[in-house]
Amino acid sequence: MSLLVVGLSHRTAPVGVLERAALTGDAPALLLRDAAATETVAEAALVNTCNRIELYADVDKFHAGVAELSLLLSHHSGVELEELTSHLYVHYEDRAVHHIFSVACGLDSMVVGEGQILGQLRDALARAQEEHTAGRGLNDLFQQALRVGKRAHSETGIDKAGQSLVTFGLDQIARTTGDIAGMRALVVGAGSMSSLAAATLVRAGVGDLLIANRTRERAERLVTNLGVANAAVIDFAEVPKALDTVDLVISCTGAAGVVITAEDIADAAAAREGLVPLAFLDLAMPRDVDHAVHELPGALLVDLESLSEADAAAPGAGDVDAVTGIVADEVTAFGAAQRAAQIAPTVVALRAMASEVVLSELGRLNTRLPDLDERTRAEVSQTVKRVVDKLLHAPTVRVKQLAAEPGGAGYADALRELFDLDLAAVQAVSGTLGAAKAAGMKTAGAQTVSAQTVNKAVSAQTVGVQATPNGTLAGGGAR
């Protein structure tokens, strides 16, 4: 697998760009289908969160892969390629593995060490599987990333040092409002982030808790899962009126536009002027709460932009160093395992060819010496097989060891060349014939942006991706 990652996050793009690039509705599924339908991409997965949009792909051509994925991100996000390119980062092969393992451990999160990213990676893999764009390569990668993230949280204190965005945001609000225990709260939305927010509020000891969602059944399911007597559901249309009765609002919907306007809030905020402000925690991307609320007296808005500017409580340097070490070790082990797996079909094909030669020669022996007794014939057969096994043992063991090292893929090619192995037979053993991959991975009817279009656009916009010594690749202003 030649792994390529093209994406943007809170580290490379301002919130305004992330907000405009946010993929909502059917856009994530369409992007995945289009990516998997390109000639360069064999598998594709999308990590799409409030502060991260990343395409992971198994590609057969690096430059064409970067160009196609960049254009697809631009096409589906609606952000012009020229602007988007300056915020993109590109990682390839081992550096791409290092990146996803770091993401899984929370090292690349807005709040270092937060554990919610594990659920988001799990959701990304599930979506790719549902769209039939993830095969064995990306499945193994994401499953291993999840294991690495769990290992980091179990073996270090990174989970205690880090916080979720919900907890961090509530901490920022509490600096102005004081303890949120006993407050009357409203959660708008019923997705994974909203569920986390509701559970966090319950643990914090809020008073009455209201849940509103466009689909009322999902809100009712969330209340049932919370299992507390002080939680209730209100209709989505009642949210503006409910603002008069609550002290705190957390909003995280998948809406494409503003859900709570400054006009909705103005009267409720004005009534609190001089008192503890009506607090809003907006975790949606694009934003749910009108940015103009920042200017309203009697209201306090904490959103992703203000969170990115706030100073999070830094985890201990020892924990970060420990997790960094875990990631480095796991990347090395994963790379070695992948390279060893790549040569395994060649070794199997070599042994299969040797077995055929042995059987052929024993057949000739039986024809030439038909009078040999069964005991002698069996002994000759075992002797020939032992000789072949001993001759093949050292080179096959050694080639596996060499192939597991960086740059070891060439040893499989050398083995095939030396023994004149049939490449088609090797591919059949590995189960990665191009036709089979196309049948299993490509989705019919996808709205594909052609490679010719990609090349023209890239030439016009001058993406100009180049490799750096450490394997990280940058285009335009990417890092």
Side-chain angles (χ1 to χ4, degrees), residues 97-182:
V97 176
H98 188 281
H99 177 73
I100 190 173
F101 286 4
S102 297
V103 168
C105 293
L107 291 179
D108 198 58
S109 296
M110 184 180 292
V111 181
V112 174
E114 60 93 10
Q116 188 185 0
I117 187 62
L118 288 173
Q120 293 166 336
L121 288 178
R122 194 177 294 109
D123 291 343
L125 177 58
R127 183 188 302 113
Q129 291 172 335
E130 183 178 318
E131 295 296 333
H132 306 292
T133 64
R136 180 173 179 177
L138 286 183
N139 181 73
D140 289 350
L141 174 71
F142 273 73
Q143 293 290 0
Q144 185 60 25
L146 292 171
R147 285 190 286 268
V148 173
K150 291 176 182 177
R151 180 188 168 194
H153 285 282
S154 65
E155 294 183 13
T156 74
I158 197 78
D159 58 332
K160 298 176 183 176
Q163 309 168 71
S164 72
L165 276 178
V166 175
T167 305
F168 184 44
L170 290 175
D171 285 348
Q172 301 304 306
I173 287 175
R175 292 182 179 183
T176 299
T177 65
D179 193 351
I180 66 172

Side-chain angles (χ1 to χ4, degrees), residues 357-378:
V357 171
V358 169
L359 290 175
S360 176
E361 291 303 316
L362 289 176
R364 291 178 62 188
L365 178 65
N366 290 339
T367 300
R368 292 183 178 185
L369 301 174
D371 296 332
L372 280 179
D373 61 84
E374 290 302 319
R375 180 177 179 181
T376 302
R377 197 181 304 279

